[in-house]
Amino acid sequence: MITFLLLALVGFVGIVTLLTYTLYCYEETNQSGRPLAPFLAMAGRTALRSVASELVIVALHPLGLWPGLWSRPTPGSSLVVLVHGLFHNPGAWILFRRRLHAQGFGTACFRYASWGSRWEETVADLTTYLAKILEENPDRPVHLVGHSLGGLLLRCALAQSPDPRIRTLVTLGTPYGGSKLSPFALSSLGRYLTYRGETVMRVATLPTPADVRCLALYSPADNMVLPNSALRCGLQGWDERQTRPVSHVAMLHSRDVFDKALEWVRRPA
């Protein structure tokens, strides 16, 4: 039975990866007007790692259900608050978090429910969590890192509660323009990510505190944010950087992505 379940899981993840990369190739070819071959090659180079990353996320999901392991700040000179993406939980950050600890940073992870949640309530919960973190750590600089939907949630929370102790915001694969895969999200928070929809367009108008340095990292092989042009924030005062080709989920495990985020966080103001 266990073998069957494992094979079923691998098969399901493989099918999802195949479908999303098929849509990626179709969408990017139409959007760019370029031949299909380069996009097929990029998909081929990143698909296997995508499957592996998805399986790791699924395997670590139960670990992320242990609130005390993630939500309380760990020791470190500066504190990095991590916010996961849709359908994930704090367990998705395990490698990224470990690397931050190795560099002397403390971490704290915010957890939200992807299903049955409303946008406004989730943003309010994150805003409250950040306020508590700042109150309990008055002498520690705070940095924010969000993956996918987590980046949009941090944008909203930061606009509502600016604080001079928040130094940087880094987003990984965040769908600033939404995604054409949003209809498949059904009743989850993903329904707010309609491509060029009301919510993402409203978030785009929110102010960013002038004293917060902001970076948007995006992959040219992202298979969940379609079209990939929706990954570009286009916000004044923000820096945008392309990473090496990795899938949407594999950004969480990529050393290149981590190094770019780390460099930004460490950069003097």
Side-chain angles (χ1 to χ4, degrees), residues 52-71 82-99 107-112 114 147 249 251-253:
S53 290
E54 292 280 4
L55 291 174
V56 168
I57 294 295
V58 172
L60 294 174
H61 194 85
L63 191 61
L65 299 176
W66 185 5
L69 183 64
W70 307 93
S71 60
L82 304 166
V83 181
H84 62 82
L86 189 68
F87 304 136
H88 294 170
N89 69 19
W93 290 111
I94 189 165
L95 182 57
F96 204 97
R97 182 174 181 250
R98 182 187 178 108
R99 287 170 171 168
T107 62
C109 302
F110 173 75
R111 179 178 179 270
Y112 61 90
S114 295
H147 175 242
V249 174
M251 294 193 82
L252 291 164
H253 307 139

Side-chain angles (χ1 to χ4, degrees), residues 96 172 217 243 246 250-251 254-262:
F96 204 97
L172 318 176
L217 295 175
T243 68
V246 291
M251 294 193 82
S254 167
R255 186 76 205 197
D256 175 61
V257 172
F258 174 80
D259 287 344
K260 284 181 168 58
L262 178 65

Side-chain angles (χ1 to χ4, degrees), residues 129-187:
Y129 179 77
L130 286 176
K132 183 179 179 182
I133 289 290
L134 290 164
E135 180 183 357
E136 294 178 351
N137 298 269
D139 300 321
R140 301 172 75 182
V142 173
H143 305 273
L144 309 177
V145 179
H147 175 242
S148 193
L149 174 62
L152 291 180
L153 294 174
L154 282 170
R155 276 262 301 143
C156 293
L158 187 58
Q160 292 184 12
S161 301
D163 190 290
R165 286 169 293 174
I166 298 178
R167 305 294 175 80
T168 64
L169 168 60
V170 180
T171 65
L172 318 176
T174 291
Y176 290 101
S179 174
K180 291 186 177 181
L181 293 182
S182 174
F184 296 100
L186 302 177
S187 62

Side-chain angles (χ1 to χ4, degrees), residues 17-59:
T17 300
L18 177 62
L19 289 175
T20 54
Y21 268 115
T22 298
L23 293 171
Y24 160 82
C25 291
Y26 172 82
E27 192 66 38
E28 294 310 296
T29 299
N30 283 316
Q31 287 280 327
S32 66
R34 294 168 55 194
L36 178 62
F39 298 108
L40 281 174
M42 193 174 296
R45 291 197 304 270
T46 56
L48 285 179
R49 186 173 181 184
S50 176
V51 171
S53 290
E54 292 280 4
L55 291 174
V56 168
I57 294 295
V58 172

